[in-house]
Amino acid sequence: MLSNLEVENKYDVVKIGNDLEIGGKELVVMAGPCAVEGRKQLLETAEEVKKNGGQILRGGAFKPRTSPHSFQGLGEEGLKLLAEAREKTGLKIVTEVMDSEDLELVDAYADILQIGSRNMQNYGLLKKLGQVDTPVMLKRGYAATIKEWLLAAEYIITHGNPRVILCERGIRTFETATRNTLDLNAIALIKEVTNLPIIIDPSHGTGKRSLVSPLAKAGITAGADGIIVEIHPHPEEALCDGQQSLLPQDFGDLVGGLKRVAQAIDRKLVG
Ligand code: PEP
Ligand code: MN
């Protein structure tokens, strides 16, 4: 038995606000920049997400960077820009909380709290997430087994918050040709052993722009309830993860392709 989530969690579907559900028949599309870099970049990107059929805007205000010398995010200023983008477009916001200390602040802005790969086993933070009502998207640790990932989800659930969405974002393997190895087995298996919604992140899963679209489609075919992808109006100028960010046009093409994939597996995109 991988987990007792089936008995613990009665929610097949996680509601985001009053008008969006994740985990039902309809597939959600989350997209946006890796990091919120400034007002123009974010608002331009948000318009593209909206125009091309996305429902949720992603963007980190607190960034977990491997190097302390890399851009660390705009902090609260970034959260305010996300709120402005939500106001202008009607998109919902998913953004990362890295530290228990910032939970209250990020929770005041986010529609979905993202827990990044590096924090999947930050048990203090997971317990605190049990005390909020906001849905949590728990990304898989890059070196975590499926069992460890599900047990991390149970920390949040057993501490009081059943609104957990899983996100497969690739794991570290012996392969170096891609940034990570996207684990499609995990998608199908999670659907078999839990009731939790699961999102596929082919941007971090591959680390390479040209691979994002094929792997997004593969993830949906394997049973994912939606995608999260990075897009940027000028990827070559991005302060974070430009090499894996789609141009807005590529994103539009991807959403078009996903509509056909969804139809083939008797699902549809939201909207
Ligand atoms: C991100 O979504 O930008 C991110 C940092 O993801 P991960 O935690 O999966 O590396
Ligand atoms: Mn990123």
Side-chain angles (χ1 to χ4, degrees):
M1 175 100 146
L2 277 169
S3 144
N4 61 358
L5 281 174
E6 275 169 295
V7 285
E8 292 286 347
N9 179 33
K10 299 180 194 65
Y11 289 73
D12 286 338
V13 154
V14 174
K15 291 193 88 169
I16 315 296
N18 297 325
D19 53 355
L20 187 64
E21 290 184 346
I22 304 185
K25 186 170 176 171
E26 298 191 342
L27 305 169
V28 292
V29 173
M30 311 185 188
C34 181
V36 179
E37 298 170 4
R39 192 166 183 273
K40 185 168 183 290
Q41 171 243 19
L42 188 70
L43 295 183
E44 237 180 89
T45 309
E47 289 300 340
E48 291 292 342
V49 174
K50 177 76 184 175
K51 188 180 92 191
N52 289 295
Q55 298 80 44
I56 299 172
L57 177 66
R58 64 148 290 146
F62 293 91
K63 293 302 303 174
R65 303 304 299 276
T66 301
S67 165
H69 310 295
S70 301
F71 176 60
Q72 303 286 309
L74 295 177
E76 187 167 7
E77 188 194 334
L79 296 174
K80 288 185 175 152
L81 292 173
L82 286 164
E84 186 182 345
R86 169 172 54 200
E87 186 65 36
K88 288 210 156 72
T89 59
L91 293 168
K92 311 234 187 275
I93 300 301
V94 57
T95 195
E96 177 160 355
V97 53
M98 279 175 55
D99 202 306
S100 300
E101 216 167 73
D102 302 321
L103 177 57
E104 206 179 318
L105 173 70
V106 181
D107 190 38
Y109 291 89
D111 297 296
I112 303 174
L113 293 161
Q114 173 173 324
I115 299 305
S117 190
R118 291 156 191 80
N119 261 325
M120 189 206 82
Q121 286 176 307
N122 181 341
Y123 298 118
L125 178 59
L126 299 180
K127 286 180 192 173
K128 292 239 162 59
L129 289 161
Q131 293 161 19
V132 300
D133 290 328
T134 311
V136 176
M137 185 172 79
L138 180 65
K139 297 190 93 175
R140 180 177 183 179
Y142 56 74
T145 64
I146 293 171
K147 183 172 181 177
E148 288 162 344
W149 186 19
L150 292 177
L151 289 169
E154 288 193 33
Y155 264 92
I156 305 170
I157 294 167
T158 56
H159 282 81
N161 184 355
R163 295 168 199 83
V164 176
I165 302 153
L166 299 172
C167 176
E168 165 59 42
R169 50 79 72 204
I171 50 175
R172 189 172 279 185
T173 66
F174 57 81
E175 183 55 73
T176 55
T178 52
R179 183 177 178 183
N180 287 295
T181 298
L182 197 62
D183 185 3
L184 295 175
N185 291 2
I187 301 278
L189 187 65
I190 292 288
K191 282 300 178 190
E192 202 168 281
V193 301
T194 84
N195 294 332
L196 297 178
I198 182 162
I199 300 295
I200 185 93
D201 174 352
S203 303
H204 295 89
T206 65
K208 197 168 186 296
R209 183 176 309 123
S210 61
L211 303 182
V212 169
S213 178
L215 272 300
K217 291 170 187 156
I220 292 298
T221 310
D225 298 297
I227 62 164
I228 183 164
V229 293
E230 291 182 338
I231 68 173
H232 197 288
H234 308 285
E236 67 292 348
E237 291 167 16
L239 296 180
C240 182
D241 287 351
Q243 76 292 345
Q244 65 193 34
S245 297
L246 295 177
L247 285 158
Q249 169 67 39
D250 302 333
F251 172 62
D253 293 345
L254 167 58
V255 175
L258 279 181
K259 283 186 184 153
R260 295 191 292 278
V261 170
Q263 213 173 18
I265 56 166
D266 197 27
R267 294 183 86 174
K268 65 197 275 289
L269 267 57
V270 171

Short mmCIF file of all heavy atoms in Angstrom, two decimals, residues 33-35 58-60 62-65 96 114-120 137 139-142 167-170 179-180 201 203-205 228 230 240-241 244, ligand 1:
data_model
loop_
_atom_site.label_atom_id
_atom_site.label_comp_id
_atom_site.label_asym_id
_atom_site.label_seq_id
_atom_site.Cartn_x
_atom_site.Cartn_y
_atom_site.Cartn_z
N PRO A 33 5.57 32.98 -16.32
CA PRO A 33 7.03 32.96 -16.25
C PRO A 33 7.52 32.15 -15.05
O PRO A 33 6.78 31.93 -14.10
CB PRO A 33 7.38 34.44 -16.07
CG PRO A 33 6.19 35.03 -15.39
CD PRO A 33 5.00 34.27 -15.91
N CYS A 34 8.77 31.73 -15.13
CA CYS A 34 9.37 31.08 -13.96
C CYS A 34 9.29 32.06 -12.79
O CYS A 34 8.74 31.73 -11.75
CB CYS A 34 10.82 30.71 -14.27
SG CYS A 34 11.61 29.89 -12.89
N ALA A 35 9.81 33.26 -13.02
CA ALA A 35 9.83 34.28 -11.96
C ALA A 35 9.10 35.54 -12.40
O ALA A 35 9.16 35.91 -13.57
CB ALA A 35 11.27 34.65 -11.60
N ARG A 58 1.05 31.30 -13.39
CA ARG A 58 2.12 30.93 -12.49
C ARG A 58 3.16 32.04 -12.49
O ARG A 58 3.24 32.84 -13.42
CB ARG A 58 2.77 29.60 -12.87
CG ARG A 58 3.48 29.56 -14.22
CD ARG A 58 4.69 28.60 -14.21
NE ARG A 58 5.76 29.15 -13.40
CZ ARG A 58 6.59 28.43 -12.66
NH1 ARG A 58 6.50 27.12 -12.63
NH2 ARG A 58 7.55 29.01 -11.96
N GLY A 59 3.98 32.08 -11.45
CA GLY A 59 5.07 33.05 -11.40
C GLY A 59 5.61 33.08 -9.99
O GLY A 59 4.86 33.26 -9.03
N GLY A 60 6.92 32.90 -9.85
CA GLY A 60 7.52 32.88 -8.52
C GLY A 60 7.90 34.28 -8.07
O GLY A 60 8.51 35.05 -8.83
N PHE A 62 9.06 34.33 -4.70
CA PHE A 62 10.14 33.81 -3.87
C PHE A 62 10.73 32.63 -4.63
O PHE A 62 10.04 31.63 -4.85
CB PHE A 62 9.61 33.35 -2.51
CG PHE A 62 9.09 34.49 -1.66
CD1 PHE A 62 7.76 34.88 -1.73
CD2 PHE A 62 9.95 35.19 -0.82
CE1 PHE A 62 7.28 35.93 -0.95
CE2 PHE A 62 9.47 36.25 -0.04
CZ PHE A 62 8.14 36.62 -0.11
N LYS A 63 11.97 32.75 -5.09
CA LYS A 63 12.54 31.73 -5.96
C LYS A 63 13.60 30.89 -5.25
O LYS A 63 14.55 31.43 -4.68
CB LYS A 63 13.21 32.40 -7.18
CG LYS A 63 12.27 33.07 -8.14
CD LYS A 63 11.21 32.14 -8.70
CE LYS A 63 11.77 30.92 -9.40
NZ LYS A 63 10.68 29.98 -9.80
N PRO A 64 13.46 29.56 -5.32
CA PRO A 64 14.49 28.68 -4.76
C PRO A 64 15.60 28.47 -5.78
O PRO A 64 15.50 27.59 -6.63
CB PRO A 64 13.72 27.38 -4.52
CG PRO A 64 12.65 27.38 -5.59
CD PRO A 64 12.36 28.81 -5.94
N ARG A 65 16.64 29.27 -5.78
CA ARG A 65 17.68 29.16 -6.79
C ARG A 65 18.85 28.33 -6.28
O ARG A 65 19.25 28.45 -5.12
CB ARG A 65 18.17 30.55 -7.20
CG ARG A 65 17.06 31.48 -7.72
CD ARG A 65 16.29 30.89 -8.89
NE ARG A 65 17.10 30.61 -10.06
CZ ARG A 65 17.43 31.50 -11.00
NH1 ARG A 65 16.99 32.74 -10.89
NH2 ARG A 65 18.17 31.15 -12.03
N GLU A 96 4.89 30.18 -5.39
CA GLU A 96 5.59 29.34 -4.41
C GLU A 96 5.77 30.02 -3.05
O GLU A 96 6.08 31.20 -2.97
CB GLU A 96 6.97 28.94 -4.96
CG GLU A 96 7.79 28.13 -3.97
CD GLU A 96 8.92 27.32 -4.60
OE1 GLU A 96 9.05 27.30 -5.83
OE2 GLU A 96 9.67 26.71 -3.81
N GLN A 114 2.17 26.99 -4.04
CA GLN A 114 3.07 25.99 -4.62
C GLN A 114 4.17 25.65 -3.63
O GLN A 114 4.79 26.53 -3.06
CB GLN A 114 3.68 26.56 -5.92
CG GLN A 114 4.76 25.68 -6.53
CD GLN A 114 5.21 26.19 -7.89
OE1 GLN A 114 4.39 26.71 -8.67
NE2 GLN A 114 6.48 26.07 -8.19
N ILE A 115 4.38 24.33 -3.45
CA ILE A 115 5.54 23.88 -2.67
C ILE A 115 6.51 23.28 -3.68
O ILE A 115 6.18 22.34 -4.40
CB ILE A 115 5.14 22.83 -1.61
CG1 ILE A 115 4.13 23.45 -0.63
CG2 ILE A 115 6.37 22.32 -0.86
CD1 ILE A 115 4.61 24.72 0.04
N GLY A 116 7.69 23.85 -3.73
CA GLY A 116 8.66 23.46 -4.74
C GLY A 116 9.33 22.13 -4.40
O GLY A 116 9.27 21.65 -3.27
N SER A 117 9.98 21.61 -5.42
CA SER A 117 10.67 20.33 -5.32
C SER A 117 11.63 20.27 -4.12
O SER A 117 11.69 19.28 -3.40
CB SER A 117 11.45 20.15 -6.63
OG SER A 117 11.96 18.88 -6.74
N ARG A 118 12.34 21.37 -3.92
CA ARG A 118 13.37 21.37 -2.87
C ARG A 118 12.76 21.39 -1.47
O ARG A 118 13.45 21.14 -0.48
CB ARG A 118 14.29 22.58 -3.06
CG ARG A 118 15.16 22.44 -4.29
CD ARG A 118 15.61 23.78 -4.82
NE ARG A 118 16.22 23.65 -6.13
CZ ARG A 118 15.53 23.54 -7.27
NH1 ARG A 118 14.21 23.50 -7.27
NH2 ARG A 118 16.16 23.42 -8.42
N ASN A 119 11.48 21.71 -1.37
CA ASN A 119 10.82 21.79 -0.07
C ASN A 119 9.83 20.66 0.18
O ASN A 119 9.10 20.70 1.16
CB ASN A 119 10.08 23.13 0.05
CG ASN A 119 10.89 24.15 0.83
OD1 ASN A 119 11.61 23.80 1.77
ND2 ASN A 119 10.79 25.40 0.44
N MET A 120 9.81 19.68 -0.72
CA MET A 120 8.78 18.64 -0.58
C MET A 120 8.85 17.94 0.78
O MET A 120 7.85 17.48 1.30
CB MET A 120 8.89 17.60 -1.70
CG MET A 120 7.71 16.64 -1.73
SD MET A 120 8.10 15.04 -2.46
CE MET A 120 8.86 14.19 -1.05
N MET A 137 -0.30 23.04 -4.15
CA MET A 137 0.26 22.20 -5.20
C MET A 137 1.64 21.74 -4.74
O MET A 137 2.57 22.54 -4.63
CB MET A 137 0.35 22.95 -6.54
CG MET A 137 0.82 22.01 -7.65
SD MET A 137 0.73 22.76 -9.28
CE MET A 137 2.20 23.76 -9.25
N LYS A 139 4.87 19.89 -5.37
CA LYS A 139 5.73 19.36 -6.43
C LYS A 139 6.56 18.21 -5.88
O LYS A 139 6.93 18.19 -4.71
CB LYS A 139 6.61 20.47 -7.01
CG LYS A 139 5.78 21.58 -7.67
CD LYS A 139 6.61 22.57 -8.45
CE LYS A 139 6.71 22.17 -9.91
NZ LYS A 139 7.43 23.20 -10.71
N ARG A 140 6.85 17.27 -6.75
CA ARG A 140 7.62 16.10 -6.31
C ARG A 140 9.08 16.51 -6.09
O ARG A 140 9.68 17.19 -6.92
CB ARG A 140 7.56 15.03 -7.40
CG ARG A 140 8.33 13.77 -7.04
CD ARG A 140 8.16 12.73 -8.12
NE ARG A 140 8.82 11.51 -7.79
CZ ARG A 140 8.82 10.44 -8.57
NH1 ARG A 140 8.16 10.46 -9.72
NH2 ARG A 140 9.46 9.34 -8.21
N GLY A 141 9.66 16.06 -5.00
CA GLY A 141 11.09 16.28 -4.76
C GLY A 141 11.88 15.60 -5.88
O GLY A 141 11.53 14.52 -6.31
N TYR A 142 12.96 16.24 -6.33
CA TYR A 142 13.64 15.69 -7.51
C TYR A 142 14.36 14.37 -7.21
O TYR A 142 14.78 13.68 -8.12
CB TYR A 142 14.56 16.72 -8.17
CG TYR A 142 15.60 17.33 -7.26
CD1 TYR A 142 16.72 16.62 -6.85
CD2 TYR A 142 15.46 18.65 -6.81
CE1 TYR A 142 17.68 17.18 -6.04
CE2 TYR A 142 16.41 19.23 -6.00
CZ TYR A 142 17.52 18.48 -5.61
OH TYR A 142 18.45 19.05 -4.78
N CYS A 167 2.14 17.52 -8.24
CA CYS A 167 2.73 17.97 -9.51
C CYS A 167 4.01 17.19 -9.79
O CYS A 167 4.97 17.28 -9.02
CB CYS A 167 3.01 19.47 -9.46
SG CYS A 167 3.85 20.08 -10.94
N GLU A 168 3.98 16.41 -10.87
CA GLU A 168 5.18 15.68 -11.32
C GLU A 168 6.03 16.63 -12.16
O GLU A 168 5.58 17.15 -13.17
CB GLU A 168 4.75 14.46 -12.15
CG GLU A 168 5.86 13.80 -12.97
CD GLU A 168 7.04 13.29 -12.17
OE1 GLU A 168 6.83 12.70 -11.09
OE2 GLU A 168 8.18 13.47 -12.63
N ARG A 169 7.27 16.87 -11.70
CA ARG A 169 8.15 17.85 -12.36
C ARG A 169 9.51 17.27 -12.76
O ARG A 169 10.44 18.00 -13.07
CB ARG A 169 8.31 19.09 -11.48
CG ARG A 169 8.68 18.80 -10.07
CD ARG A 169 10.13 18.48 -9.83
NE ARG A 169 10.99 19.64 -9.96
CZ ARG A 169 12.29 19.58 -10.24
NH1 ARG A 169 12.90 18.40 -10.40
NH2 ARG A 169 13.00 20.68 -10.37
N GLY A 170 9.55 15.92 -12.77
CA GLY A 170 10.80 15.29 -13.19
C GLY A 170 11.69 14.98 -12.00
O GLY A 170 11.65 15.65 -10.98
N ARG A 179 17.30 18.08 -18.43
CA ARG A 179 17.51 18.61 -17.07
C ARG A 179 17.07 17.61 -16.01
O ARG A 179 17.71 17.44 -14.98
CB ARG A 179 16.73 19.92 -16.94
CG ARG A 179 16.91 20.62 -15.61
CD ARG A 179 16.17 21.95 -15.58
NE ARG A 179 16.32 22.59 -14.28
CZ ARG A 179 15.74 23.74 -13.95
NH1 ARG A 179 14.98 24.39 -14.83
NH2 ARG A 179 15.89 24.25 -12.76
N ASN A 180 15.91 17.01 -16.26
CA ASN A 180 15.37 15.98 -15.36
C ASN A 180 14.75 14.89 -16.21
O ASN A 180 14.66 15.03 -17.43
CB ASN A 180 14.29 16.58 -14.45
CG ASN A 180 14.87 17.49 -13.38
OD1 ASN A 180 15.60 17.05 -12.50
ND2 ASN A 180 14.57 18.78 -13.46
N ASP A 201 4.39 18.98 -15.12
CA ASP A 201 5.24 20.14 -15.39
C ASP A 201 6.36 19.72 -16.35
O ASP A 201 7.45 19.31 -15.93
CB ASP A 201 5.83 20.66 -14.08
CG ASP A 201 6.84 21.80 -14.29
OD1 ASP A 201 7.22 22.08 -15.45
OD2 ASP A 201 7.28 22.38 -13.28
N SER A 203 8.06 21.62 -18.24
CA SER A 203 9.12 22.64 -18.37
C SER A 203 10.33 22.24 -17.52
O SER A 203 11.44 22.09 -18.03
CB SER A 203 8.60 24.01 -17.92
OG SER A 203 7.45 24.37 -18.67
N HIS A 204 10.09 22.01 -16.21
CA HIS A 204 11.19 21.54 -15.37
C HIS A 204 11.51 20.08 -15.64
O HIS A 204 12.65 19.64 -15.46
CB HIS A 204 10.85 21.77 -13.89
CG HIS A 204 10.72 23.22 -13.56
ND1 HIS A 204 9.53 23.90 -13.68
CD2 HIS A 204 11.64 24.16 -13.19
CE1 HIS A 204 9.72 25.18 -13.38
NE2 HIS A 204 10.99 25.36 -13.08
N GLY A 205 10.52 19.35 -16.09
CA GLY A 205 10.72 17.92 -16.37
C GLY A 205 11.71 17.65 -17.49
O GLY A 205 12.38 16.61 -17.51
N ILE A 228 1.33 22.55 -16.11
CA ILE A 228 1.89 23.85 -15.72
C ILE A 228 3.13 24.04 -16.58
O ILE A 228 4.00 23.17 -16.63
CB ILE A 228 2.19 23.94 -14.21
CG1 ILE A 228 2.70 25.33 -13.86
CG2 ILE A 228 3.14 22.85 -13.72
CD1 ILE A 228 2.67 25.66 -12.36
N GLU A 230 6.11 26.97 -18.32
CA GLU A 230 6.71 28.30 -18.25
C GLU A 230 6.67 28.96 -19.62
O GLU A 230 7.02 28.34 -20.63
CB GLU A 230 8.15 28.19 -17.74
CG GLU A 230 8.16 27.79 -16.27
CD GLU A 230 9.52 27.70 -15.63
OE1 GLU A 230 10.53 27.55 -16.34
OE2 GLU A 230 9.58 27.77 -14.39
N CYS A 240 15.33 33.71 -15.24
CA CYS A 240 15.26 32.36 -14.68
C CYS A 240 14.63 31.43 -15.71
O CYS A 240 13.57 31.75 -16.26
CB CYS A 240 14.39 32.45 -13.42
SG CYS A 240 14.18 30.94 -12.52
N ASP A 241 15.28 30.31 -16.00
CA ASP A 241 14.70 29.23 -16.82
C ASP A 241 14.23 29.64 -18.23
O ASP A 241 13.27 29.05 -18.76
CB ASP A 241 13.53 28.58 -16.05
CG ASP A 241 14.03 27.70 -14.91
OD1 ASP A 241 15.25 27.47 -14.81
OD2 ASP A 241 13.20 27.24 -14.11
N GLN A 244 13.87 26.89 -21.07
CA GLN A 244 12.72 25.97 -21.09
C GLN A 244 11.39 26.73 -21.22
O GLN A 244 10.33 26.12 -21.16
CB GLN A 244 12.72 25.09 -19.84
CG GLN A 244 12.50 25.87 -18.55
CD GLN A 244 12.79 25.07 -17.30
OE1 GLN A 244 13.69 24.23 -17.29
NE2 GLN A 244 12.04 25.27 -16.24
C1 PEP B 1 9.30 26.48 -10.47
O1 PEP B 1 8.15 26.05 -10.63
O2 PEP B 1 9.72 27.52 -11.03
C2 PEP B 1 10.24 25.69 -9.67
C3 PEP B 1 11.25 26.25 -9.04
O3 PEP B 1 9.94 24.38 -9.71
P1 PEP B 1 10.61 23.13 -8.96
O4 PEP B 1 10.39 23.36 -7.52
O5 PEP B 1 9.86 21.98 -9.52
O6 PEP B 1 12.08 23.12 -9.33
#
